[in-house]
Amino acid sequence: MPSMSKLEVKNLTFSYDNEVNVIDDISFKVDKGQFISIIGHNGSGKSTLAKLIVGLLDFNSGQIFFDNEELTKKNMNKLQTKTALVFQNPDNQFIGTTVEDDIAFGLE
Ligand SMILES: Nc1ncnc2c1ncn2[C@@H]1O[C@H](COP(=O)(O)OP(=O)(O)OP(=O)(O)O)[C@@H](O)[C@H]1O
Ligand SMILES: [Mg+2]
């Protein structure tokens, strides 16, 4: 039986401008219960990678799997319930002035 990873990123490639690959053939697995850190210089592509994983950006090539199920346009909504992204800048995260407003915004 193949090993069951919670998240698998396979040969992921992404470019904002179709010239420079910001994400260039990246592959890794995260197993259940495992915590990982992705470290790198400013502008090396950490936030871009996170946005690709949660589906905020569309990758050019490669694959992303959650529990061995491949992320596609079709199951995007279902699989997105398995991910969450906290933005780097809190101003991009908090929209309302209260917790209630913020949670309601997502549902709207
Ligand atoms: N919306 C965008 N449009 C075009 N280029 C972008 C966009 N967002 C990021 N980039 C570029 O993509 C590259 C990777 O940026 P990214 O924000 O993913 O890096 P990072 O590792 O998160 O950096 P930091 O440590 O500063 O948070 C950089 O060259 C950046 O200028
Ligand atoms: Mg960043």
Side-chain angles (χ1 to χ4, degrees):
M1 204 176 117
S3 73
M4 177 88 165
S5 51
K6 289 308 283 182
L7 167 69
E8 179 171 6
V9 170
K10 219 172 178 176
N11 306 115
L12 198 70
T13 298
F14 172 79
S15 170
Y16 284 103
D17 59 6
N18 287 317
E19 278 180 31
V20 180
N21 285 338
V22 170
I23 301 296
D24 191 8
D25 198 15
I26 299 290
S27 301
F28 64 92
K29 284 183 185 181
V30 184
D31 292 327
K32 186 176 180 183
Q34 193 180 15
F35 289 78
I36 67 158
S37 299
I38 293 165
I39 59 173
H41 291 287
N42 291 133
S44 60
K46 304 177 296 292
S47 295
T48 302
L49 178 61
K51 287 174 190 168
L52 289 165
I53 291 168
V54 301
L56 284 177
L57 293 172
D58 293 330
F59 42 93
N60 299 109
S61 63
Q63 294 162 293
I64 296 175
F65 300 85
F66 294 100
D67 296 318
N68 288 16
E69 187 175 351
E70 185 172 358
L71 177 69
T72 61
K73 287 249 185 297
K74 244 182 168 174
N75 63 18
M76 178 77 79
N77 284 351
K78 184 183 103 185
L79 293 185
Q80 271 176 346
T81 62
K82 299 184 185 221
T83 68
L85 173 65
V86 178
F87 289 104
Q88 190 160 349
N89 179 353
D91 289 341
N92 296 339
Q93 180 81 38
F94 302 115
I95 288 133
T97 51
T98 64
V99 172
E100 186 182 2
D101 283 351
D102 254 22
I103 291 168
F105 182 82
L107 297 173
E108 276 168 28

